Coordinates of all heavy atoms in Angstrom, one line a residue:
V343 N -0.7 12.6 -10.0 CA 0.0 12.0 -11.1 C 0.3 13.1 -12.2 O -0.6 13.9 -12.5 CB -0.8 10.9 -11.7 CG1 -0.1 10.3 -12.9 CG2 -1.1 9.8 -10.7
A344 N 1.5 13.1 -12.7 CA 1.8 14.0 -13.8 C 1.1 13.7 -15.1 O 1.0 12.6 -15.5 CB 3.3 14.0 -14.1
K345 N 0.4 14.8 -15.6 CA -0.3 14.6 -16.9 C 0.6 14.8 -18.1 O 0.2 14.6 -19.2 CB -1.4 15.6 -17.0 CG -2.6 15.3 -16.1 CD -3.7 16.4 -16.3 CE -4.5 16.0 -17.5 NZ -5.7 16.8 -17.6
E346 N 1.8 15.4 -17.8 CA 2.8 15.7 -18.9 C 4.1 15.7 -18.2 O 4.2 15.6 -16.9 CB 2.5 17.0 -19.5 CG 2.5 18.2 -18.5 CD 1.9 19.5 -19.1 OE1 0.8 19.4 -19.7 OE2 2.5 20.5 -18.8
G347 N 5.2 15.8 -18.9 CA 6.5 16.0 -18.3 C 6.6 17.2 -17.5 O 6.1 18.3 -17.9
I348 N 7.1 17.2 -16.3 CA 7.2 18.3 -15.4 C 8.7 18.5 -15.0 O 9.2 17.6 -14.3 CB 6.4 18.2 -14.1 CG1 4.9 18.0 -14.5 CG2 6.5 19.5 -13.3 CD1 4.0 17.8 -13.3
P349 N 9.4 19.5 -15.5 CA 10.8 19.7 -15.1 C 11.0 20.2 -13.7 O 10.0 20.8 -13.1 CB 11.3 20.7 -16.1 CG 10.1 21.5 -16.6 CD 8.9 20.5 -16.4
S350 N 12.1 19.8 -13.0 CA 12.4 20.3 -11.7 C 12.2 21.8 -11.6 O 12.7 22.5 -12.5 CB 13.8 19.9 -11.3 OG 14.1 20.3 -10.0
G351 N 11.6 22.3 -10.6 CA 11.5 23.8 -10.4 C 10.1 24.3 -10.9 O 9.8 25.5 -10.7
Q352 N 9.4 23.5 -11.7 CA 8.1 24.0 -12.2 C 7.0 23.8 -11.2 O 7.0 22.9 -10.4 CB 7.7 23.2 -13.5 CG 6.6 23.9 -14.3 CD 6.3 23.2 -15.6 OE1 5.6 22.1 -15.6 NE2 6.8 23.7 -16.7
E353 N 6.0 24.7 -11.2 CA 4.9 24.6 -10.3 C 4.0 23.5 -10.7 O 3.7 23.2 -11.9 CB 4.1 25.9 -10.3 CG 3.0 25.8 -9.3 CD 2.1 27.1 -9.2 OE1 2.4 28.1 -9.9 OE2 1.2 27.0 -8.4
I354 N 3.5 22.7 -9.7 CA 2.5 21.7 -10.0 C 1.1 22.2 -9.8 O 0.8 22.8 -8.8 CB 2.8 20.5 -8.9 CG1 4.1 19.9 -9.2 CG2 1.7 19.5 -9.0 CD1 4.6 19.1 -8.0
C355 N 0.3 22.1 -10.9 CA -1.0 22.6 -10.8 C -2.0 21.5 -11.1 O -1.8 20.6 -11.9 CB -1.2 23.7 -11.8 SG -0.4 25.3 -11.4
I356 N -3.2 21.6 -10.4 CA -4.3 20.6 -10.7 C -5.5 21.4 -11.2 O -5.5 22.7 -11.1 CB -4.6 19.8 -9.4 CG1 -4.9 20.8 -8.3 CG2 -3.5 18.9 -9.1 CD1 -5.4 20.1 -7.0
G357 N -6.5 20.8 -11.7 CA -7.7 21.5 -12.2 C -8.7 21.4 -11.1 O -9.1 20.3 -10.7
Y358 N -9.2 22.5 -10.5 CA -10.2 22.4 -9.5 C -11.6 22.1 -10.2 O -12.5 21.7 -9.5 CB -10.4 23.8 -8.8 CG -9.2 24.2 -7.9 CD1 -9.2 25.4 -7.3 CD2 -8.1 23.3 -7.7 CE1 -8.1 25.8 -6.5 CE2 -7.1 23.7 -6.9 CZ -7.1 25.0 -6.3 OH -6.0 25.4 -5.5
L359 N -11.6 22.3 -11.5 CA -12.9 22.0 -12.2 C -12.9 20.6 -12.8 O -11.8 20.0 -13.0 CB -13.0 23.0 -13.4 CG -12.9 24.5 -13.0 CD1 -13.0 25.4 -14.3 CD2 -14.1 24.9 -12.1
S360 N -14.1 20.1 -13.1 CA -14.2 18.8 -13.7 C -13.7 18.9 -15.2 O -13.6 20.0 -15.7 CB -15.7 18.4 -13.8 OG -16.4 19.3 -14.6
E361 N -13.3 17.8 -15.8 CA -12.8 17.8 -17.2 C -13.8 18.5 -18.1 O -13.4 19.3 -18.9 CB -12.7 16.3 -17.7 CG -11.5 15.6 -17.3 CD -10.2 16.3 -17.7 OE1 -10.1 16.8 -18.8 OE2 -9.3 16.5 -16.8
C362 N -15.1 18.3 -17.8 CA -16.1 18.9 -18.7 C -16.1 20.4 -18.5 O -16.1 21.2 -19.5 CB -17.4 18.3 -18.3 SG -18.8 19.1 -19.1
D363 N -16.0 20.9 -17.3 CA -15.9 22.4 -17.1 C -14.6 23.0 -17.6 O -14.6 24.1 -18.1 CB -16.1 22.7 -15.6 CG -17.6 22.6 -15.2 OD1 -18.5 22.7 -16.1 OD2 -17.9 22.3 -14.0
L364 N -13.5 22.2 -17.5 CA -12.2 22.7 -18.0 C -12.3 23.0 -19.5 O -11.6 23.9 -20.0 CB -11.1 21.7 -17.7 CG -10.5 21.7 -16.3 CD1 -9.4 20.7 -16.3 CD2 -9.9 23.1 -15.9
S365 N -13.2 22.3 -20.2 CA -13.2 22.5 -21.7 C -14.1 23.6 -22.1 O -14.2 24.0 -23.2 CB -13.7 21.2 -22.3 OG -15.0 20.9 -22.0
R366 N -14.8 24.3 -21.1 CA -15.6 25.4 -21.4 C -14.8 26.7 -21.7 O -13.6 26.7 -21.5 CB -16.7 25.6 -20.3 CG -17.6 24.3 -20.2 CD -18.5 24.4 -19.0 NE -19.5 25.4 -19.2 CZ -20.5 25.6 -18.3 NH1 -20.6 24.9 -17.2 NH2 -21.4 26.6 -18.5
S367 N -15.6 27.7 -22.1 CA -14.9 29.0 -22.4 C -14.2 29.6 -21.2 O -14.6 29.3 -20.1 CB -15.9 29.9 -23.1 OG -16.7 30.4 -22.0
R368 N -13.3 30.5 -21.5 CA -12.7 31.3 -20.4 C -13.7 31.9 -19.5 O -13.6 31.8 -18.3 CB -11.7 32.3 -21.0 CG -10.9 33.1 -19.9 CD -10.2 34.2 -20.5 NE -11.1 35.2 -21.1 CZ -11.4 36.4 -20.6 NH1 -10.9 36.7 -19.4 NH2 -12.2 37.2 -21.1
H369 N -14.7 32.5 -20.1 CA -15.8 33.2 -19.4 C -16.4 32.3 -18.4 O -16.6 32.6 -17.2 CB -16.8 33.8 -20.3 CG -18.0 34.4 -19.7 ND1 -18.0 35.6 -19.0 CD2 -19.2 33.8 -19.5 CE1 -19.2 35.8 -18.5 NE2 -20.0 34.8 -18.8
S370 N -16.8 31.1 -18.8 CA -17.5 30.1 -18.0 C -16.6 29.6 -16.9 O -17.0 29.5 -15.7 CB -18.0 28.9 -18.8 OG -18.8 29.3 -19.8
R371 N -15.4 29.3 -17.3 CA -14.4 28.7 -16.3 C -14.2 29.8 -15.1 O -14.3 29.4 -14.0 CB -13.1 28.4 -16.9 CG -13.1 27.4 -17.9 CD -11.7 26.9 -18.2 NE -10.7 27.9 -18.5 CZ -10.4 28.3 -19.8 NH1 -11.1 27.9 -20.8 NH2 -9.5 29.2 -20.0
Q372 N -14.0 31.0 -15.5 CA -13.7 32.0 -14.5 C -14.9 32.3 -13.6 O -14.8 32.5 -12.4 CB -13.3 33.3 -15.2 CG -12.0 33.0 -16.0 CD -11.1 34.2 -16.0 OE1 -11.5 35.3 -15.8 NE2 -9.8 33.9 -16.0
K373 N -16.1 32.1 -14.2 CA -17.3 32.3 -13.4 C -17.4 31.2 -12.3 O -17.7 31.5 -11.2 CB -18.5 32.3 -14.4 CG -19.9 32.6 -13.7 CD -20.9 32.8 -14.8 CE -22.3 33.0 -14.1 NZ -22.9 31.7 -13.8
I374 N -17.2 30.0 -12.7 CA -17.3 28.9 -11.8 C -16.2 29.0 -10.7 O -16.4 28.8 -9.5 CB -17.1 27.5 -12.5 CG1 -18.2 27.4 -13.6 CG2 -17.3 26.4 -11.5 CD1 -18.0 26.2 -14.5
L375 N -15.0 29.3 -11.1 CA -13.9 29.5 -10.2 C -14.1 30.6 -9.2 O -13.9 30.5 -8.0 CB -12.6 29.7 -10.9 CG -12.0 28.5 -11.7 CD1 -10.9 28.9 -12.6 CD2 -11.5 27.4 -10.7
K376 N -14.7 31.7 -9.7 CA -15.0 32.8 -8.8 C -16.0 32.4 -7.8 O -15.9 32.8 -6.6 CB -15.5 34.0 -9.7 CG -15.8 35.3 -9.0 CD -14.6 36.2 -9.0 CE -14.6 37.4 -8.1 NZ -14.9 37.1 -6.7
E377 N -17.1 31.7 -8.2 CA -18.1 31.4 -7.3 C -17.7 30.4 -6.3 O -18.1 30.4 -5.1 CB -19.3 30.8 -8.1 CG -20.2 31.9 -8.6 CD -21.4 31.3 -9.4 OE1 -21.5 30.0 -9.4 OE2 -22.1 32.1 -10.1
N378 N -16.9 29.4 -6.7 CA -16.6 28.3 -5.8 C -15.2 28.4 -5.1 O -15.1 27.9 -4.0 CB -16.5 27.0 -6.6 CG -17.9 26.6 -7.0 OD1 -18.7 26.1 -6.3 ND2 -18.2 26.8 -8.3
Y379 N -14.3 29.1 -5.7 CA -13.0 29.2 -5.1 C -12.5 30.7 -4.9 O -11.4 30.9 -4.4 CB -12.0 28.4 -5.9 CG -12.3 27.0 -6.0 CD1 -13.0 26.4 -7.0 CD2 -11.9 26.1 -4.9 CE1 -13.3 25.1 -7.1 CE2 -12.2 24.8 -5.0 CZ -12.9 24.3 -6.0 OH -13.3 22.9 -6.0
L380 N -13.4 31.6 -5.3 CA -13.2 33.0 -5.0 C -11.9 33.6 -5.6 O -11.2 34.4 -4.9 CB -13.2 33.2 -3.5 CG -14.3 32.5 -2.7 CD1 -14.0 32.5 -1.2 CD2 -15.6 33.1 -3.0
F381 N -11.5 33.2 -6.8 CA -10.3 33.9 -7.4 C -10.5 34.0 -8.9 O -11.3 33.3 -9.5 CB -9.0 33.2 -7.1 CG -8.8 31.8 -7.7 CD1 -8.2 31.7 -9.0 CD2 -9.3 30.7 -7.1 CE1 -8.1 30.5 -9.6 CE2 -9.1 29.4 -7.8 CZ -8.5 29.4 -9.0
I382 N -9.8 35.0 -9.4 CA -9.8 35.2 -10.9 C -8.7 34.4 -11.4 O -7.5 34.7 -11.1 CB -9.7 36.7 -11.2 CG1 -10.6 37.5 -10.4 CG2 -9.8 36.9 -12.7 CD1 -12.0 37.6 -11.0
C383 N -8.9 33.5 -12.3 CA -7.8 32.6 -12.8 C -6.9 33.4 -13.8 O -7.4 34.0 -14.7 CB -8.4 31.4 -13.5 SG -7.1 30.2 -13.9
E384 N -5.6 33.3 -13.5 CA -4.7 33.9 -14.4 C -3.7 32.9 -14.9 O -2.5 33.2 -15.1 CB -4.0 35.1 -13.7 CG -4.9 36.2 -13.4 CD -4.2 37.4 -12.8 OE1 -3.1 37.3 -12.2 OE2 -4.8 38.5 -12.8
C385 N -4.2 31.7 -15.2 CA -3.3 30.6 -15.7 C -2.9 31.0 -17.1 O -3.6 31.8 -17.8 CB -4.0 29.3 -15.6 SG -5.3 29.0 -16.8
P386 N -1.9 30.3 -17.7 CA -1.5 30.6 -19.1 C -2.6 30.5 -20.1 O -2.8 31.3 -21.0 CB -0.4 29.6 -19.3 CG 0.1 29.2 -18.0 CD -1.0 29.3 -17.0
K387 N -3.5 29.5 -19.9 CA -4.6 29.3 -20.8 C -5.5 30.5 -20.8 O -5.9 31.0 -21.8 CB -5.3 28.0 -20.5 CG -6.4 27.6 -21.6 CD -7.0 26.3 -21.3 CE -8.1 26.0 -22.3 NZ -8.9 24.9 -22.0
C388 N -5.9 30.9 -19.5 CA -6.8 32.1 -19.4 C -6.2 33.3 -20.0 O -6.8 34.1 -20.6 CB -7.2 32.3 -18.0 SG -8.4 31.1 -17.4
L389 N -4.9 33.5 -19.7 CA -4.2 34.7 -20.2 C -4.2 34.7 -21.7 O -4.4 35.7 -22.4 CB -2.8 34.8 -19.6 CG -2.7 35.2 -18.2 CD1 -1.3 35.2 -17.7 CD2 -3.4 36.5 -17.8
S390 N -3.9 33.5 -22.3 CA -3.9 33.5 -23.8 C -5.2 33.7 -24.4 O -5.4 34.1 -25.6 CB -3.3 32.1 -24.2 OG -4.3 31.1 -24.1
E391 N -6.3 33.5 -23.6 CA -7.6 33.7 -24.2 C -8.3 35.0 -23.7 O -9.5 35.2 -23.9 CB -8.6 32.5 -23.7 CG -8.2 31.2 -24.3 CD -8.9 30.0 -23.7 OE1 -9.7 30.2 -22.8 OE2 -8.7 28.9 -24.2
A392 N -7.4 35.8 -23.1 CA -8.0 37.1 -22.5 C -8.7 37.9 -23.5 O -9.6 38.7 -23.1 CB -6.8 37.9 -21.9
D393 N -8.4 37.8 -24.8 CA -9.1 38.7 -25.8 C -10.3 38.0 -26.4 O -11.0 38.6 -27.2 CB -8.1 39.1 -26.9 CG -7.0 39.9 -26.4 OD1 -7.2 40.6 -25.4 OD2 -5.8 39.9 -26.9
D394 N -10.6 36.8 -26.0 CA -11.8 36.1 -26.5 C -13.0 36.9 -26.1 O -13.0 37.5 -25.0 CB -11.9 34.7 -26.0 CG -10.8 33.7 -26.6 OD1 -10.0 34.2 -27.4 OD2 -10.9 32.5 -26.3
P395 N -14.1 36.8 -26.9 CA -15.3 37.4 -26.4 C -15.8 36.7 -25.2 O -15.5 35.6 -24.9 CB -16.3 37.2 -27.6 CG -15.7 36.1 -28.4 CD -14.2 36.2 -28.2
D396 N -16.6 37.4 -24.4 CA -17.1 36.9 -23.1 C -18.1 35.7 -23.3 O -18.3 35.0 -22.3 CB -17.7 38.0 -22.3 CG -16.6 38.6 -21.4 OD1 -15.5 38.1 -21.4 OD2 -16.9 39.7 -20.8
L397 N -18.7 35.6 -24.4 CA -19.6 34.5 -24.6 C -19.2 33.7 -25.8 O -18.9 34.2 -26.8 CB -21.0 35.0 -24.9 CG -21.7 35.7 -23.7 CD1 -23.1 36.2 -24.2 CD2 -21.9 34.7 -22.6
T398 N -19.1 32.3 -25.6 CA -18.8 31.5 -26.8 C -19.6 30.3 -27.0 O -19.7 29.8 -28.1 CB -17.3 31.0 -26.7 OG1 -17.1 30.5 -25.4 CG2 -16.3 32.1 -26.9
S399 N -20.3 29.8 -26.0 CA -21.1 28.6 -26.2 C -22.5 28.7 -25.6 O -22.8 29.6 -24.9 CB -20.4 27.4 -25.5 OG -20.4 27.6 -24.1
E400 N -23.3 27.8 -26.0 CA -24.7 27.8 -25.5 C -24.8 27.7 -24.0 O -25.6 28.4 -23.4 CB -25.4 26.5 -26.1 CG -26.1 26.7 -27.4 CD -26.5 25.4 -28.0 OE1 -27.1 24.7 -27.2 OE2 -26.3 25.2 -29.2
E401 N -23.9 26.9 -23.4 CA -23.9 26.8 -22.0 C -23.7 28.2 -21.3 O -24.3 28.5 -20.4 CB -22.8 25.9 -21.5 CG -23.0 24.4 -21.7 CD -21.7 23.6 -21.8 OE1 -20.7 24.3 -21.8 OE2 -21.8 22.4 -21.8
D402 N -22.8 28.9 -22.0 CA -22.5 30.2 -21.4 C -23.8 31.1 -21.5 O -24.1 31.9 -20.6 CB -21.4 30.9 -22.2 CG -20.1 30.1 -22.1 OD1 -20.0 29.3 -21.1 OD2 -19.3 30.1 -23.0
E403 N -24.5 31.0 -22.6 CA -25.7 31.9 -22.7 C -26.7 31.5 -21.6 O -27.4 32.3 -21.0 CB -26.3 31.7 -24.1 CG -25.6 32.7 -25.1 CD -25.8 32.3 -26.5 OE1 -26.9 31.8 -26.8 OE2 -24.8 32.5 -27.3
E404 N -26.8 30.1 -21.4 CA -27.7 29.7 -20.3 C -27.3 30.3 -19.0 O -28.1 30.7 -18.2 CB -27.8 28.2 -20.2 CG -28.7 27.6 -21.3 CD -28.3 26.1 -21.5 OE1 -27.8 25.5 -20.6 OE2 -28.6 25.6 -22.6
D405 N -26.0 30.3 -18.7 CA -25.5 30.9 -17.5 C -25.9 32.3 -17.4 O -26.3 32.8 -16.3 CB -23.9 30.8 -17.5 CG -23.4 29.4 -17.2 OD1 -24.2 28.6 -16.9 OD2 -22.2 29.2 -17.4
M406 N -25.8 33.0 -18.5 CA -26.2 34.4 -18.4 C -27.6 34.6 -18.1 O -28.0 35.5 -17.3 CB -25.9 35.1 -19.8 CG -24.4 35.3 -20.1 SD -23.6 36.4 -19.0 CE -24.2 38.0 -19.6
E407 N -28.5 33.7 -18.7 CA -29.9 33.8 -18.4 C -30.2 33.6 -16.9 O -30.9 34.3 -16.2 CB -30.7 32.8 -19.2 CG -31.0 33.4 -20.6 CD -31.3 32.3 -21.6 OE1 -31.7 31.2 -21.2 OE2 -31.0 32.6 -22.8
E408 N -29.5 32.6 -16.3 CA -29.6 32.3 -14.9 C -29.3 33.5 -14.0 O -29.9 33.8 -13.0 CB -28.7 31.1 -14.5 CG -29.3 29.8 -14.8 CD -28.2 28.7 -14.7 OE1 -27.3 28.9 -13.8 OE2 -28.3 27.7 -15.4
D409 N -28.3 34.2 -14.5 CA -27.8 35.4 -13.7 C -28.8 36.5 -13.6 O -28.8 37.3 -12.7 CB -26.5 35.9 -14.4 CG -25.3 35.1 -14.0 OD1 -25.5 34.2 -13.2 OD2 -24.2 35.3 -14.6
Q410 N -29.7 36.6 -14.7 CA -30.5 37.7 -14.8 C -31.7 37.7 -13.8 O -32.1 36.6 -13.4 CB -31.0 38.0 -16.2 CG -29.8 38.6 -17.0 CD -30.0 38.4 -18.5 OE1 -31.0 37.9 -19.0 NE2 -29.0 38.7 -19.2

Side-chain angles (χ1 to χ4, degrees):
V343 178
K345 286 182 80 170
E346 59 192 43
I348 303 176
S350 179
Q352 196 177 77
E353 182 179 359
I354 295 162
C355 289
I356 53 175
Y358 294 174
L359 304 177
S360 66
E361 276 306 313
C362 173
D363 284 336
L364 277 181
S365 66
R366 295 174 72 176
S367 72
R368 183 188 63 102
H369 172 77
S370 301
R371 296 196 308 269
Q372 298 219 329
K373 185 166 175 279
I374 304 169
L375 289 166
K376 182 93 193 53
E377 275 176 9
N378 294 284
Y379 297 96
L380 315 168
F381 69 91
I382 310 279
C383 188
E384 293 184 339
C385 76
K387 187 173 176 193
C388 283
L389 290 179
S390 77
E391 293 171 359
D393 296 331
D394 287 5
D396 270 351
L397 289 176
T398 48
S399 67
E400 272 170 43
E401 284 157 351
D402 300 333
E403 276 160 35
E404 280 161 25
D405 285 348
M406 287 297 282
E407 277 157 26
E408 277 166 32
D409 283 349
Q410 282 158 9

